[in-house]
Amino acid sequence: MSKEEAQNYISNQSLPTMATNVIFYKALDDLDGQPDQKDVLIEYVLDENTFGIKNLNIPNNELEKDIIFKEKINSEESLSLVINLNNISSSDLKLILEKVDQIRLQKKVENFQYKVEDEKGTLLFSIEFQKMGEYISLKFPAKL
């Protein structure tokens, strides 16, 4: 493509008006050929109109282990999930999200937060829901 053709191509591009899902794959060094479903780490399912995250899909790529959950109510809008892990893999995150889906407190109030903590009370991350569970986001504490 010539420089002129490239400039013409770029000038005819526009920002998307609808959201499409965002898929994260394994690191490039770990890929063999074209990426496929076994190479997916996480998929953000987006609302086509608002661009909000409606769901997180995590494939079953790893062996799942048992996670022991202890629930600690903080308020009407917050619940702590105390888990027996210090490090969280993608399969652990999938189990945590399934547990949150079973609890369903995010469906009862406008905004709800699950704080995922280790047994020492250290915040590992938060799962925040908006609009009565319609949208989800993950928040991680700042590292010092």
Side-chain angles (χ1 to χ4, degrees):
M1 181 180 295
S2 71
K3 183 177 178 180
E4 216 173 80
E5 290 171 324
Q7 286 176 335
N8 187 34
Y9 176 78
I10 290 172
S11 67
N12 289 324
Q13 299 299 307
S14 64
L15 293 173
T17 57
M18 288 180 32
T20 57
N21 295 352
V22 177
I23 301 172
F24 291 93
Y25 293 96
K26 293 178 182 176
L28 292 175
D29 294 342
D30 297 335
L31 293 175
D32 185 24
Q34 183 173 348
D36 60 21
Q37 195 60 32
K38 72 176 178 17
D39 298 316
V40 172
L41 294 175
I42 190 167
E43 175 184 17
Y44 287 79
V45 179
L46 303 180
D47 181 298
E48 292 178 354
N49 299 313
T50 66
F51 290 73
I53 301 170
K54 291 186 70 83
N55 197 5
L56 299 173
N57 290 335
I58 302 168
N60 293 326
N61 289 343
E62 300 178 32
L63 292 175
E64 293 182 8
K65 50 187 155 190
D66 257 350
I67 299 176
I68 299 170
F69 293 96
K70 295 177 190 167
E71 298 174 22
K72 184 173 74 176
I73 296 174
N74 300 326
S75 71
E76 283 185 13
E77 297 172 340
S78 179
L79 174 80
S80 288
L81 291 174
V82 180
I83 61 173
N84 61 331
L85 302 173
N86 293 324
N87 297 313
I88 298 174
S89 69
S90 61
S91 64
D92 297 332
L93 179 58
K94 181 179 179 93
L95 288 174
I96 292 166
L97 291 171
E98 287 172 357
K99 176 69 172 178
V100 163
D101 196 45
Q102 291 170 359
I103 296 172
R104 302 186 63 77
L105 291 176
Q106 68 273 17
K107 301 288 186 182
K108 297 180 180 179
V109 294
E110 184 67 20
N111 297 307
F112 196 85
Q113 179 185 60
Y114 293 91
K115 294 180 179 182
V116 180
E117 302 172 348
D118 66 15
E119 294 173 312
K120 297 175 188 170
T122 304
L123 179 66
L124 301 173
F125 67 96
S126 297
I127 305 167
E128 297 181 4
F129 288 91
Q130 296 83 35
K131 296 194 176 189
M132 300 198 72
E134 189 171 344
Y135 300 109
I136 184 175
S137 62
L138 300 178
K139 306 279 181 171
F140 296 88
K143 297 202 178 208
L144 300 174

